[in-house]
mmCIF file with all atom_site columns, all heavy atoms in Angstrom:
data_model
loop_
_atom_site.group_PDB
_atom_site.id
_atom_site.type_symbol
_atom_site.label_atom_id
_atom_site.label_alt_id
_atom_site.label_comp_id
_atom_site.label_asym_id
_atom_site.label_entity_id
_atom_site.label_seq_id
_atom_site.pdbx_PDB_ins_code
_atom_site.Cartn_x
_atom_site.Cartn_y
_atom_site.Cartn_z
_atom_site.occupancy
_atom_site.B_iso_or_equiv
_atom_site.pdbx_formal_charge
_atom_site.auth_seq_id
_atom_site.auth_comp_id
_atom_site.auth_asym_id
_atom_site.auth_atom_id
_atom_site.pdbx_PDB_model_num
ATOM 1  N N   . THR A 1 56 ? 104.056 211.502 -40.046 1.00 97.00 ? 61 THR A N   1
ATOM 2  C CA  . THR A 1 56 ? 104.499 212.882 -40.201 1.00 97.00 ? 61 THR A CA  1
ATOM 3  C C   . THR A 1 56 ? 104.529 213.599 -38.854 1.00 97.00 ? 61 THR A C   1
ATOM 4  O O   . THR A 1 56 ? 103.577 213.528 -38.075 1.00 97.00 ? 61 THR A O   1
ATOM 5  C CB  . THR A 1 56 ? 103.547 213.628 -41.155 1.00 97.00 ? 61 THR A CB  1
ATOM 6  O OG1 . THR A 1 56 ? 103.547 212.966 -42.415 1.00 97.00 ? 61 THR A OG1 1
ATOM 7  C CG2 . THR A 1 56 ? 103.993 215.076 -41.341 1.00 97.00 ? 61 THR A CG2 1
ATOM 8  N N   . GLY A 1 57 ? 105.647 214.283 -38.601 1.00 97.00 ? 62 GLY A N   1
ATOM 9  C CA  . GLY A 1 57 ? 105.773 215.065 -37.386 1.00 97.00 ? 62 GLY A CA  1
ATOM 10 C C   . GLY A 1 57 ? 106.310 214.312 -36.186 1.00 97.00 ? 62 GLY A C   1
ATOM 11 O O   . GLY A 1 57 ? 106.573 214.911 -35.147 1.00 97.00 ? 62 GLY A O   1
ATOM 12 N N   . VAL A 1 58 ? 106.467 213.004 -36.337 1.00 98.00 ? 63 VAL A N   1
ATOM 13 C CA  . VAL A 1 58 ? 106.980 212.198 -35.223 1.00 98.00 ? 63 VAL A CA  1
ATOM 14 C C   . VAL A 1 58 ? 108.506 212.233 -35.246 1.00 98.00 ? 63 VAL A C   1
ATOM 15 O O   . VAL A 1 58 ? 109.119 212.015 -36.301 1.00 98.00 ? 63 VAL A O   1
ATOM 16 C CB  . VAL A 1 58 ? 106.471 210.744 -35.332 1.00 98.00 ? 63 VAL A CB  1
ATOM 17 C CG1 . VAL A 1 58 ? 107.091 209.865 -34.243 1.00 98.00 ? 63 VAL A CG1 1
ATOM 18 C CG2 . VAL A 1 58 ? 104.950 210.719 -35.241 1.00 98.00 ? 63 VAL A CG2 1
ATOM 19 N N   . PRO A 1 59 ? 109.127 212.497 -34.116 1.00 98.00 ? 64 PRO A N   1
ATOM 20 C CA  . PRO A 1 59 ? 110.601 212.604 -34.088 1.00 98.00 ? 64 PRO A CA  1
ATOM 21 C C   . PRO A 1 59 ? 111.286 211.339 -34.593 1.00 98.00 ? 64 PRO A C   1
ATOM 22 O O   . PRO A 1 59 ? 110.820 210.218 -34.363 1.00 98.00 ? 64 PRO A O   1
ATOM 23 C CB  . PRO A 1 59 ? 110.901 212.840 -32.606 1.00 98.00 ? 64 PRO A CB  1
ATOM 24 C CG  . PRO A 1 59 ? 109.677 213.473 -32.062 1.00 98.00 ? 64 PRO A CG  1
ATOM 25 C CD  . PRO A 1 59 ? 108.545 212.840 -32.808 1.00 98.00 ? 64 PRO A CD  1
ATOM 26 N N   . SER A 1 60 ? 112.418 211.531 -35.231 1.00 98.00 ? 65 SER A N   1
ATOM 27 C CA  . SER A 1 60 ? 113.126 210.410 -35.865 1.00 98.00 ? 65 SER A CA  1
ATOM 28 C C   . SER A 1 60 ? 113.798 209.486 -34.856 1.00 98.00 ? 65 SER A C   1
ATOM 29 O O   . SER A 1 60 ? 114.315 208.428 -35.247 1.00 98.00 ? 65 SER A O   1
ATOM 30 C CB  . SER A 1 60 ? 114.164 210.950 -36.842 1.00 98.00 ? 65 SER A CB  1
ATOM 31 O OG  . SER A 1 60 ? 115.093 211.773 -36.173 1.00 98.00 ? 65 SER A OG  1
ATOM 32 N N   . ARG A 1 61 ? 113.804 209.834 -33.580 1.00 98.00 ? 66 ARG A N   1
ATOM 33 C CA  . ARG A 1 61 ? 114.350 208.896 -32.581 1.00 98.00 ? 66 ARG A CA  1
ATOM 34 C C   . ARG A 1 61 ? 113.435 207.683 -32.387 1.00 98.00 ? 66 ARG A C   1
ATOM 35 O O   . ARG A 1 61 ? 113.849 206.685 -31.807 1.00 98.00 ? 66 ARG A O   1
ATOM 36 C CB  . ARG A 1 61 ? 114.589 209.581 -31.237 1.00 98.00 ? 66 ARG A CB  1
ATOM 37 C CG  . ARG A 1 61 ? 113.345 210.113 -30.552 1.00 98.00 ? 66 ARG A CG  1
ATOM 38 C CD  . ARG A 1 61 ? 113.715 210.783 -29.218 1.00 98.00 ? 66 ARG A CD  1
ATOM 39 N NE  . ARG A 1 61 ? 112.544 211.303 -28.521 1.00 98.00 ? 66 ARG A NE  1
ATOM 40 C CZ  . ARG A 1 61 ? 112.041 212.494 -28.751 1.00 98.00 ? 66 ARG A CZ  1
ATOM 41 N NH1 . ARG A 1 61 ? 112.595 213.303 -29.643 1.00 98.00 ? 66 ARG A NH1 1
ATOM 42 N NH2 . ARG A 1 61 ? 110.971 212.906 -28.069 1.00 98.00 ? 66 ARG A NH2 1
ATOM 43 N N   . PHE A 1 62 ? 112.203 207.785 -32.871 1.00 98.00 ? 67 PHE A N   1
ATOM 44 C CA  . PHE A 1 62 ? 111.285 206.654 -32.829 1.00 98.00 ? 67 PHE A CA  1
ATOM 45 C C   . PHE A 1 62 ? 111.409 205.854 -34.125 1.00 98.00 ? 67 PHE A C   1
ATOM 46 O O   . PHE A 1 62 ? 111.495 206.421 -35.210 1.00 98.00 ? 67 PHE A O   1
ATOM 47 C CB  . PHE A 1 62 ? 109.825 207.122 -32.685 1.00 98.00 ? 67 PHE A CB  1
ATOM 48 C CG  . PHE A 1 62 ? 109.528 207.846 -31.402 1.00 98.00 ? 67 PHE A CG  1
ATOM 49 C CD1 . PHE A 1 62 ? 109.448 209.227 -31.374 1.00 98.00 ? 67 PHE A CD1 1
ATOM 50 C CD2 . PHE A 1 62 ? 109.339 207.143 -30.218 1.00 98.00 ? 67 PHE A CD2 1
ATOM 51 C CE1 . PHE A 1 62 ? 109.180 209.909 -30.196 1.00 98.00 ? 67 PHE A CE1 1
ATOM 52 C CE2 . PHE A 1 62 ? 109.062 207.810 -29.033 1.00 98.00 ? 67 PHE A CE2 1
ATOM 53 C CZ  . PHE A 1 62 ? 108.986 209.184 -29.016 1.00 98.00 ? 67 PHE A CZ  1
ATOM 54 N N   . SER A 1 63 ? 111.423 204.534 -34.004 1.00 98.00 ? 68 SER A N   1
ATOM 55 C CA  . SER A 1 63 ? 111.462 203.691 -35.190 1.00 98.00 ? 68 SER A CA  1
ATOM 56 C C   . SER A 1 63 ? 110.789 202.359 -34.910 1.00 98.00 ? 68 SER A C   1
ATOM 57 O O   . SER A 1 63 ? 110.626 201.958 -33.748 1.00 98.00 ? 68 SER A O   1
ATOM 58 C CB  . SER A 1 63 ? 112.897 203.463 -35.665 1.00 98.00 ? 68 SER A CB  1
ATOM 59 O OG  . SER A 1 63 ? 113.635 202.740 -34.702 1.00 98.00 ? 68 SER A OG  1
ATOM 60 N N   . GLY A 1 64 ? 110.403 201.690 -35.974 1.00 98.00 ? 69 GLY A N   1
ATOM 61 C CA  . GLY A 1 64 ? 109.789 200.376 -35.856 1.00 98.00 ? 69 GLY A CA  1
ATOM 62 C C   . GLY A 1 64 ? 110.344 199.457 -36.928 1.00 98.00 ? 69 GLY A C   1
ATOM 63 O O   . GLY A 1 64 ? 110.774 199.906 -37.991 1.00 98.00 ? 69 GLY A O   1
ATOM 64 N N   . SER A 1 65 ? 110.352 198.172 -36.616 1.00 98.00 ? 70 SER A N   1
ATOM 65 C CA  . SER A 1 65 ? 110.841 197.193 -37.584 1.00 98.00 ? 70 SER A CA  1
ATOM 66 C C   . SER A 1 65 ? 110.119 195.880 -37.358 1.00 98.00 ? 70 SER A C   1
ATOM 67 O O   . SER A 1 65 ? 109.426 195.684 -36.350 1.00 98.00 ? 70 SER A O   1
ATOM 68 C CB  . SER A 1 65 ? 112.348 197.002 -37.450 1.00 98.00 ? 70 SER A CB  1
ATOM 69 O OG  . SER A 1 65 ? 112.667 196.452 -36.181 1.00 98.00 ? 70 SER A OG  1
ATOM 70 N N   . GLY A 1 66 ? 110.311 194.980 -38.309 1.00 98.00 ? 71 GLY A N   1
ATOM 71 C CA  . GLY A 1 66 ? 109.749 193.643 -38.183 1.00 98.00 ? 71 GLY A CA  1
ATOM 72 C C   . GLY A 1 66 ? 108.708 193.331 -39.227 1.00 98.00 ? 71 GLY A C   1
ATOM 73 O O   . GLY A 1 66 ? 108.197 194.214 -39.917 1.00 98.00 ? 71 GLY A O   1
ATOM 74 N N   . SER A 1 67 ? 108.401 192.064 -39.341 1.00 98.00 ? 72 SER A N   1
ATOM 75 C CA  . SER A 1 67 ? 107.329 191.580 -40.204 1.00 98.00 ? 72 SER A CA  1
ATOM 76 C C   . SER A 1 67 ? 107.041 190.139 -39.816 1.00 98.00 ? 72 SER A C   1
ATOM 77 O O   . SER A 1 67 ? 107.863 189.500 -39.138 1.00 98.00 ? 72 SER A O   1
ATOM 78 C CB  . SER A 1 67 ? 107.690 191.672 -41.683 1.00 98.00 ? 72 SER A CB  1
ATOM 79 O OG  . SER A 1 67 ? 108.755 190.804 -41.975 1.00 98.00 ? 72 SER A OG  1
#
Side-chain angles (χ1 to χ4, degrees):
Chain A
T61 301
V63 175
S65 59
R66 63 180 180 274
F67 296 101
S68 65
S70 64
S72 66

